Amino acid sequence: MSGVLQINAARTASVTDAMRSVFVELLVHGPMSRAEAARRLNLSPSALTKLTKPLLEDGYLVEQPVENRNAVGRPSLPLSVDASRAQFIGIKLTADQLFGVRTDLLATVRAETRLSLPNHDVQAVVAQIATAVRQLSEPDYRITSIGLSLAGVVSPGDPVVHASPFLGWRQVPLADLVREQTGLPVVLDNDVRALTAAQQWFGAGVGQRSFTLITVGAGIGCGLVINGQLATGHNRATGLIGHLVIDGNGPLCEQGHRGCARSYATSTAVRRNIRATLDRPELTFDDCLTLARDGNTVARRVVDDAGRALGQVVATVANLTGPDVVILSGEAVDMITISDTAFHASLNEHTHWTTDPVPVVIKPFAFNEWARGAAVAALQYQVTGE
Ligand SMILES: [Zn+2]
């Protein structure tokens, strides 16, 4: 197995699960002293020193300088991951665009790009991916691997996109095609799962045993971390909550369900419901949010209905999985801040009576978040094999 910790081939045999655990602890929670790392991992100080030695020699870890050294005894220098030791490219595919980033080992974005997809022909999309990789690469930075994310049935360790509704693909060996064009290892992942991985290691999910990420945009996505594990399922499909029935007399979704969450709470549904009632087909989603903010009665009612639907979605997921926190994100997350009162009233109403409503964190969305998630999925796969 090749991985981020195994660039030095001579050391391949010596990378152990314990060494990976130390590395992940410092990657996610560092910097910290050796004593603190040993305590957190339930290791003896000597065991920790032995495990970190090769990581220091290979440059994955560095000792941070301490300004005020204690005059007595040898100071314990905090250990941290050297962010510049490895670089990843993350690419998110949508129906009409490709978003790309290059990140360092701590998932900080170092370069970004955005390209249009002229059509959904596989070779044309692969060619655009290769162009993005060239744009994001620099001679000084060796890329460890490429993470590619998209909505659909796709999972790390499997080179095939089994189904992608937005691209109309079935059984496309995308990882192999991109590797042939770029010469780099490729990790495929579902976009929501990749974004959840980024929250788990570098976002609001750090330090949470169980959390849920719910994304609101063109669809409603749901990623689950339960007892420290990013949930996977049959075909890696979990968290398919978008068609939860909210009101049997509500509007129709694109699948013909009456009153499901998607018929109220996607950016498409909000725009459609406001346009139809106001008879203003020119309105964009942002126009609709502006109208709701400015107190237009129809726009406000539609956005409040979306907030209520999302409150029920969050309560239902929380009732089922018991997360410590629910993180809300995605391109349309702003509508929850507008419908805050309706959202929380619905969350309270649908939370099981034996528990308190789950804490909710609303994370403002940046356009390159999905691509950064893809880079973190590649990093996580390289480090843990999952
Ligand atoms: Zn539906």
Side-chain angles (χ1 to χ4, degrees), residues 132-183:
V133 170
R134 275 195 301 278
Q135 289 177 353
L136 292 165
S137 299
E138 278 189 34
D140 290 349
Y141 299 113
R142 183 187 173 282
I143 305 296
T144 299
S145 63
I146 300 170
L148 267 174
S149 80
L150 66 164
V153 182
V154 50
S155 56
D158 184 341
V160 176
V161 175
H162 294 281
S164 163
F166 290 122
L167 294 166
W169 289 356
R170 282 196 172 274
Q171 309 301 336
V172 172
L174 186 63
D176 293 342
L177 295 172
V178 173
R179 197 191 59 230
E180 283 165 17
Q181 289 291 314
T182 62

Side-chain angles (χ1 to χ4, degrees), residues 55-93:
L55 294 170
L56 281 158
E57 285 170 356
D58 265 2
Y60 287 105
L61 299 182
V62 288
E63 289 181 317
Q64 290 201 324
V66 173
E67 292 195 358
N68 298 313
R69 290 193 173 211
N70 189 332
V72 182
R74 185 163 166 264
S76 175
L77 303 179
L79 292 174
S80 66
V81 168
D82 183 351
S84 66
R85 182 64 179 83
Q87 304 262 323
F88 294 84
I89 283 176
I91 289 175
K92 149 88 171 183
L93 297 176

Side-chain angles (χ1 to χ4, degrees), residues 243-364:
H243 294 282
L244 177 75
V245 175
I246 306 295
D247 178 349
N249 296 314
L252 288 171
C253 83
E254 74 286 358
Q255 293 288 322
H257 308 134
R258 192 162 282 291
C260 74
R262 283 181 66 107
S263 77
Y264 287 105
T266 64
S267 52
T268 316
V270 166
R271 194 178 58 208
R272 186 186 58 224
N273 295 342
I274 292 175
R275 277 175 173 178
T277 314
L278 292 177
D279 195 20
R280 289 183 59 186
E282 82 286 2
L283 292 175
T284 65
F285 177 67
D286 287 342
D287 295 337
C288 292
L289 291 194
T290 303
L291 283 175
R293 270 195 206 94
D294 292 348
N296 177 287
T297 315
V298 169
R300 187 58 200 252
R301 179 176 52 73
V302 169
V303 171
D304 278 349
D305 285 349
R308 252 188 295 280
L310 290 168
Q312 185 171 340
V313 166
V314 170
T316 303
V317 174
N319 290 343
L320 285 170
T321 64
D324 301 312
V325 64
V326 171
I327 304 163
L328 291 168
S329 190
E331 293 87 340
V333 76
D334 281 354
M335 68 187 178
I336 302 173
T337 42
I338 299 172
S339 62
D340 185 62
T341 306
F343 170 80
H344 281 285
S346 175
L347 175 62
N348 290 350
E349 182 189 341
H350 293 98
T351 295
H352 193 269
W353 64 271
T354 54
T355 65
D356 293 329
V358 67
V360 170
V361 173
I362 294 181
K363 193 176 179 312

